[in-house]
Amino acid sequence: MPKLVLVGAELFPHLRDLLRAEALRAGFRAVEVPVRAWGATTTPWVEVKGGRFRAGLLGPEGPEELEREDVFWCLSEGPLPPEEDYLRAEREALREGFHTTCPARTLNRRGLLSVPWTVPSWRLLAQQLPAREGACVLAPPHFHVGTPPEDGRRWKPWPQEAGGTDARVWWTVSAPGPLHMAWVMGQQVSLWSVEDGGGARVAPTPELAADLARLAAGCGAEFLEVLLVPSASPTAWAALQLSFVPEGLESMLSGEHPALVEQAEHFVRAQLAGQEVGP
């Protein structure tokens, strides 16, 4: 029986219920590893045998090999437990090697090796959306590292992140509009107004949907949450924050948002079937 392996699903109970239901429907066995156990009581293993990589999990119940038909999704990955530097470096190398070589279909495989664990998302936004080009309507905020300039604009402090710079990062957006959240799942993009804790669905323009899909692809993410605001003009948008951790999705799934539930179900079913998620 193929396996759906989830790391950190206990942090997202509504999404976990959806994933369990879809795994049961597709004939997958759900294997859950709590965040506190990942890298501690349950560790990854990697080996080369017969010219190919083999990988799996070693937990309290013994080793579990992951095959090509299995699906692995690390929803949240915490820091390794405190230990001697050489042991920590060895475990980090093992975990990175596992994420790189595991033969299972791994969601956000490249993302596990970058944000939000090693690359601050403000830097990734600046790299992936360097400038507005052609039909592109999505851009990063204006960033400044160090003391905010006194130029009449309202500069806001960027949240402190793992892997960030020692200097403070500031950002500003020209004429920001109401907050929105976009979810990219495969090639499917949905946009929701989340101002004041609301949850009204908004139809993204084809240009914005294409830019969001391109941003996710540039991050190596099958799943991506993007916080954004309309800026300067009705057709221009600024991406304020991005995350591979489905905190916003979990919050929305706890409410009455059947369209978002349907999008998540379609995404998970396609992943379990080994299919591309079309627009």
Side-chain angles (χ1 to χ4, degrees):
M1 177 183 289
K3 300 177 286 294
L4 171 62
V5 181
L6 304 170
V7 177
E10 76 279 4
L11 303 178
F12 314 101
H14 294 88
L15 179 57
R16 179 182 58 186
D17 289 345
L18 185 151
L19 291 165
R20 285 175 173 174
E22 291 303 321
L24 181 63
R25 188 194 64 82
F28 277 65
R29 176 167 62 93
V31 178
E32 298 182 25
V33 181
V35 167
R36 67 180 182 277
W38 183 235
T41 58
T42 300
T43 59
W45 59 264
V46 179
E47 70 175 15
V48 179
K49 189 172 183 179
R52 72 179 186 93
F53 283 105
R54 298 174 64 235
L57 310 176
L58 181 60
E61 299 180 1
E64 179 112 53
E65 184 172 0
L66 298 183
E67 306 282 0
R68 293 185 182 276
E69 65 268 20
D70 299 326
V71 176
F72 180 89
W73 191 1
C74 184
L75 290 93
S76 183
E77 187 170 38
L80 292 171
E83 54 195 353
E84 296 294 336
D85 289 344
Y86 75 94
L87 285 176
R88 183 176 184 85
E90 185 175 287
R91 287 199 181 189
E92 286 180 344
L94 174 59
R95 193 163 68 177
E96 182 171 324
F98 173 83
H99 288 324
T100 304
T101 63
C102 178
R105 298 195 301 273
T106 303
L107 277 68
N108 289 11
R109 183 188 299 269
R110 281 176 51 203
L112 287 163
L113 306 177
S114 56
V115 297
W117 290 281
T118 58
V119 177
S121 65
W122 71 266
R123 186 176 299 160
L124 193 74
L125 277 171
Q127 292 170 351
Q128 296 297 336
L129 298 171
R132 200 168 274 130
E133 301 175 355
C136 181
V137 298
L138 185 64
H142 299 288
F143 289 115
H144 182 83
V145 180
T147 304
E150 297 181 4
D151 56 4
R153 292 187 291 182
R154 184 181 178 186
W155 291 88
K156 298 181 180 180
W158 192 262
Q160 293 294 323
E161 299 178 276
T165 177
D166 291 336
R168 197 65 191 265
V169 179
W170 302 80
W171 65 275
T172 189
V173 176
S174 301
L179 287 173
H180 288 68
M181 184 75 82
W183 281 276
V184 184
M185 305 184 202
Q187 290 298 310
Q188 284 196 330
V189 178
S190 67
L191 181 66
W192 297 74
S193 173
V194 293
E195 191 78 12
D196 299 323
R201 190 172 188 179
V202 179
T205 63
E207 294 80 10
L208 178 59
D211 285 351
L212 288 166
R214 181 173 64 87
L215 175 61
C219 296
E222 287 82 12
F223 173 91
L224 188 68
E225 292 186 349
V226 185
L227 182 67
L228 66 166
V229 294
S231 173
S233 74
T235 59
W237 291 79
L240 303 182
Q241 185 65 279
L242 52 82
S243 176
F244 299 149
V245 180
E247 292 177 337
L249 178 62
E250 171 65 22
S251 176
M252 292 288 280
L253 290 179
S254 66
E256 295 295 328
H257 302 293
L260 192 57
V261 172
E262 182 180 351
Q263 182 188 5
E265 289 175 341
H266 179 72
F267 171 69
V268 174
R269 288 172 187 172
Q271 298 301 322
L272 296 179
Q275 300 172 348
E276 295 291 331
V277 185

